[in-house]
């Protein structure tokens, strides 16, 4: 799963259609800001998006239905967005996954320097736990942090598998 996807395409504005990478980029920036400002959006949620013309497709996984609905509502209000496709999955409730989340967060945050990625407000790394399967989403500064998070996540009790979808800042396309 990607945290953020973007596609440059045609963006209608005020009844007029035109092709503009700048307009698409502006919508993408607004979508990103709207998602990051959701009041209940936390480290255990990951919402990605794709902009295609006047349509924004939301994807990812969240722990509660409120985030799913709030993301759709807030993105629908962006000028130039006429359609929102909401493909965000709601993670199943369960104490098993909740206990893994706690252990995973504690393990990563207590390991030399990794806590900087896990701040409560807009963390650069998201920890998704779904049925004992962990997905690491977001951005880290270097290959060492990428590898360390991957190794530590594999060692957390109860984790069945780890998908390391982290992107190293220096290697990401801007």
């Amino acid at each position: 799963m990607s945290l953020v996807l973007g596609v440059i395409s045609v963006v209608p504005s005020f009844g007029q259609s035109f092709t503009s990478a700048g307009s698409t980029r502006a919508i993408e920036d607004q979508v990103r800001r709207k998602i990051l400002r959701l009041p209940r959006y936390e480290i255990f949620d990951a919402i990605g998006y794709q902009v295609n013309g006047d349509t924004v497709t939301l994807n990812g996984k969240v722990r509660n239905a409120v985030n799913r609905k709030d993301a759709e509502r807030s993105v629908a209000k962006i000028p130039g967005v006429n359609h929102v496709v909401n493909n965000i999955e709601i993670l199943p409730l369960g104490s098993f996954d909740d206990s893994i989340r706690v252990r995973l967060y504690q393990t990563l945050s207590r390991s030399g320097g990794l806590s900087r990625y896990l701040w409560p407000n807009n963390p650069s790394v998201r920890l998704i736990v779904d049925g004992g399967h962990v997905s690491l989403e977001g951005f880290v500064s270097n290959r060492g942090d990428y590898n360390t998070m991957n190794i530590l996540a594999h060692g957390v009790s109860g984790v069945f598998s780890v998908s390391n979808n982290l992107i190293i800042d220096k290697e990401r396309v801007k």
Side-chain angles (χ1 to χ4, degrees), residues 40-142:
R40 293 170 198 85
Y41 189 51
E42 61 178 10
I43 193 164
F44 302 115
D45 302 317
I47 298 174
Y49 58 88
Q50 181 178 7
V51 177
N52 187 5
D54 65 350
T55 302
V56 175
T57 302
L58 300 172
N59 54 57
K61 296 183 180 190
V62 296
R63 286 181 41 184
N64 62 63
V66 174
N67 279 343
R68 182 181 193 276
K69 198 63 172 166
D70 284 354
E72 181 178 351
R73 280 190 203 128
S74 63
V75 168
K77 294 177 185 177
I78 296 172
V81 174
N82 292 320
H83 307 285
V84 177
V85 178
N86 193 342
N87 293 331
I88 299 171
E89 295 177 43
I90 300 170
L91 294 166
L93 297 174
S95 59
F96 177 68
D97 281 352
D98 283 342
S99 65
I100 291 173
R101 287 183 187 102
V102 169
R103 288 191 303 274
L104 179 62
Y105 179 81
Q106 288 174 342
T107 299
L108 296 176
S109 65
R110 291 179 182 162
S111 298
L114 297 181
S115 64
R116 72 181 187 265
Y117 300 115
L118 307 172
W119 293 108
N121 295 328
N122 299 327
S124 63
V125 171
R126 305 279 174 169
L127 310 173
I128 306 304
V129 180
D130 186 358
H133 302 279
V134 171
S135 179
L136 303 174
E137 305 290 338
F139 302 94
V140 293
S141 298
N142 56 63

